[in-house]
Amino acid sequence: MSSLTETSEYSRLLSASSSFKSDPSLHLRDLCGLSERCSGLVAKLEGSDGRSIVFDYSRQQVVGDTMDLLFDLAEKVGLDKKMNAMYVGDKINETEGRSVLHHCLRMPKGYDFGAEGGPGIVKEVHSVLDRISAFVSKVRSGEHVGATGKKLVNVVAIGIGGSQLGPEFVNEALRADAEAMGCAEGRTLRFLANVDPVDFTLSMSGLDPEETLIVVVSKTFTTAETMLNARTAREWLLKGMGGKGGGDDVVLSKQFIAVSSAVEKAKAFGIDPENVFGFWDWVGGRYSVCSAVGIVPLSLQYSFGVMEKFLAGAHNIDEHFFKAPARENIPVIMGLLGVWNSTFLKYETRCLLPYSQALKRFPAHIQQVDMESNGKRVAMDGSVLPFAAGEFNFGEPGTNGQHSFYQLLHQGRVAPADFIGFCKSQTPVEGEGEKVSNHDELMANFFAQPDALAYGKTLADCEAEGIAKELRPHKVFEGNRPSSSLLMTELDAFGAGQLLALYEHRTAVQGFVWGINSFDQWGVELGKALAGQVRKQLEGSRKEQSVVAGFNSSTTLLLETYLGKK
Ligand code: F6P
């Protein structure tokens, strides 16, 4: 196995990338006209249930030879071996000495994936899922009620980062899905993440404490924001009960539950051990949506049955990812294109543009999955990388984004884009008379924007359109802006699971090719430590007339201003 820069493909790809930057015959306007090229740059995944995923990457700045080089590069850096090491549970998260097995969270009961200890893992996963299913059906049916006997129809999930973003994305994705919506009738699910008290106030507003179940979600059960919000919620709940319900212990045992891999800490917080749903150190926080982290709050809202479909969708992609040959493997191709755009074409940013309002929190989730995973400076062996790994990820649903940042995408900087669209709407609305349906209107934009980015509009086009001479330069679009289009059948629980797994694995592929550890996150530690020092200063300053000390002049000035000492 070689490292990326040691391979002959690395230098060949570098020289190919300069051609794409300088050779006008490699403009996407021309490349997109070559039907043989384009038909070779599509990967399809057909399901037995009539669903399909079409991944069209013909608008990426690649030709067949580029893809050949990328696949060869993948082979040289041992992508398939690394994928297999992940699959079977080798401790590929070396800095934390952990396996990376989030794909096991969605394996069906009794599934044998050929790994030593595999059957035990799948069994453990399902024993937690069975506990979740039993608890959820008791809450939803009213067998498990709040301390005063009222049905628990509100759920507030307290967690941050990976303990919130994924579940929140799935919640939004399912809110308008017919089946999920039916199951959620009369129920409320809210997410409380930020330590900003405004988030607390808004998350709790209008909720009757007697009907509210609090779920504290934290892998470590030490995250400062979550612990503070959990304590504040405990107070809110106990105070809100106004002494009813048979005492604090009864209230907490009925209405305060936890999801954590630090089960002992959750118990020490005062949560009934019966109501703690665990998961394992081989589930990274940002990869934990399919563990109790997502399945507990989302099943309470939408039923366990709906969430089983979500898990099945993710498993469907796992099967594809770990088994399909590289050239047909959608997450592998997505990841290789990510490396190509970032390392070779030097695009530092990429955007995620779902043409689906239901995916409004998907870009935020993938932002964490991707940036926390691949924002690294050293290779697995600790040597400093000779290239920058990771990209800035951002995105918004279309068409909203078109009225926000697309101006920059079309005429400013280049950011490779992923367009995501669905053949069916979750909530179809027929067009009036001869008019297209509302979903068609949305999708017209999904189909048009990638071409606008790729083809652009030349000065000659402007002239031919009779645009006034002085305005022509303003109306020129250079084009040659790369994108991929992912067209899926529909966004329901299964589809949401598929989408999640596609992007999780894309991130892993890039990390494997770059030779980094995509599964640790040491970069979040320093800020936390410094916040601890400031917290100490603030505690002291509130109690007595202390002086601000131990900070540089800039932080001292800011702190003194904040504390009203200036
Ligand atoms: O921001 C760092 C981080 O550790 C993330 O990786 C994680 O998703 C988040 O904090 C929350 O952690 P926990 O689930 O342990 O509260």
Side-chain angles (χ1 to χ4, degrees), residues 8-326:
S8 59
E9 285 76 13
Y10 179 76
S11 42
R12 289 164 70 197
L13 281 160
L14 273 181
S15 75
S17 66
S18 356
S19 309
F20 276 95
K21 292 280 183 191
S22 58
D23 182 348
S25 74
L26 291 173
H27 192 290
L28 283 172
R29 190 182 300 130
D30 299 312
L31 295 180
C32 289
L34 307 172
S35 51
E36 208 173 306
R37 167 191 170 273
C38 294
S39 56
L41 300 177
V42 182
K44 256 187 157 194
L45 179 62
E46 310 268 10
S48 52
D49 52 359
R51 286 169 190 267
S52 67
I53 300 177
V54 175
F55 179 64
D56 178 345
Y57 53 106
S58 61
R59 288 178 200 77
Q60 292 287 347
Q61 292 173 290
V62 291
V63 291
D65 287 350
T66 331
M67 291 312 298
D68 288 343
L69 281 172
L70 286 168
F71 289 121
D72 290 348
L73 175 78
E75 214 176 298
K76 293 269 178 71
V77 299
L79 176 63
D80 55 344
K81 288 186 194 70
K82 292 178 183 180
M83 283 165 59
N84 194 52
M86 171 178 166
Y87 188 60
V88 299
D90 288 356
K91 296 200 166 160
I92 61 168
N93 176 357
E94 290 179 10
T95 60
E96 296 182 303
R98 292 175 182 169
S99 310
V100 176
L101 284 167
H102 44 270
H103 46 284
C104 292
L105 299 169
R106 42 246 193 171
M107 286 175 176
K109 239 179 202 164
Y111 187 87
D112 181 3
F113 63 109
E116 202 186 318
I121 290 173
V122 178
K123 216 167 153 193
E124 269 190 65
V125 165
H126 280 275
S127 86
V128 176
L129 286 174
D130 288 346
R131 277 187 62 223
I132 297 174
S133 165
F135 177 77
V136 163
S137 70
K138 279 189 200 153
V139 173
R140 289 176 57 86
S141 68
E143 192 184 331
H144 175 118
V145 287
T148 57
K150 288 197 182 172
K151 256 187 115 170
L152 295 168
V153 290
N154 311 315
V155 171
V156 178
I158 303 176
I160 197 163
S163 292
Q164 180 250 352
L165 289 161
E168 195 188 27
F169 131 62
V170 181
N171 179 44
E172 288 299 330
L174 298 184
R175 270 175 63 195
D177 169 67
E179 186 189 8
M181 202 159 73
C183 295
E185 227 178 290
R187 307 196 59 86
T188 301
L189 172 60
R190 295 199 187 151
F191 293 92
L192 167 57
N194 203 331
V195 74
D196 183 339
V198 170
D199 202 16
F200 185 88
T201 304
L202 294 177
S203 299
M204 298 304 189
S205 83
L207 299 185
D208 176 355
E210 292 183 48
E211 299 182 333
T212 302
L213 177 69
I214 308 284
V215 190
V216 184
V217 186
S218 175
K219 181 177 173 183
T220 55
F221 228 76
T222 56
T223 303
E225 294 91 329
T226 302
M227 291 302 106
L228 181 55
N229 275 330
R231 289 193 295 273
T232 316
R234 186 167 57 185
E235 253 179 71
W236 173 88
L237 183 64
L238 297 177
K239 205 166 153 210
M241 299 297 282
K244 288 183 280 179
D248 292 358
D249 288 350
V250 181
V251 174
L252 290 180
S253 73
K254 299 246 175 208
Q255 296 183 228
F256 226 83
I257 69 169
V259 172
S260 183
S261 57
V263 176
E264 290 308 318
K265 289 201 177 97
K267 289 180 193 164
F269 185 87
I271 295 172
D272 183 346
E274 285 294 303
N275 294 338
V276 181
F277 298 92
F279 59 107
W280 306 269
D281 71 353
W282 44 259
V283 184
R286 53 194 175 273
Y287 296 94
S288 65
V289 199
C290 295
S291 71
V293 166
I295 303 305
V296 168
L298 293 162
S299 299
L300 284 162
Q301 180 70 358
Y302 297 113
S303 80
F304 187 74
V306 166
M307 294 321 296
E308 278 186 309
K309 291 179 186 167
F310 169 75
L311 294 175
H315 177 67
N316 169 265
I317 294 300
D318 295 337
E319 289 284 277
H320 168 73
F321 177 57
F322 289 113
K323 292 178 182 169

Side-chain angles (χ1 to χ4, degrees), residues 407-424:
Q407 166 64 42
L408 183 141
L409 297 184
H410 283 290
Q411 287 187 315
R413 291 167 180 269
V414 180
D418 271 14
F419 288 87
I420 301 174
F422 298 91
C423 297
K424 289 188 204 160

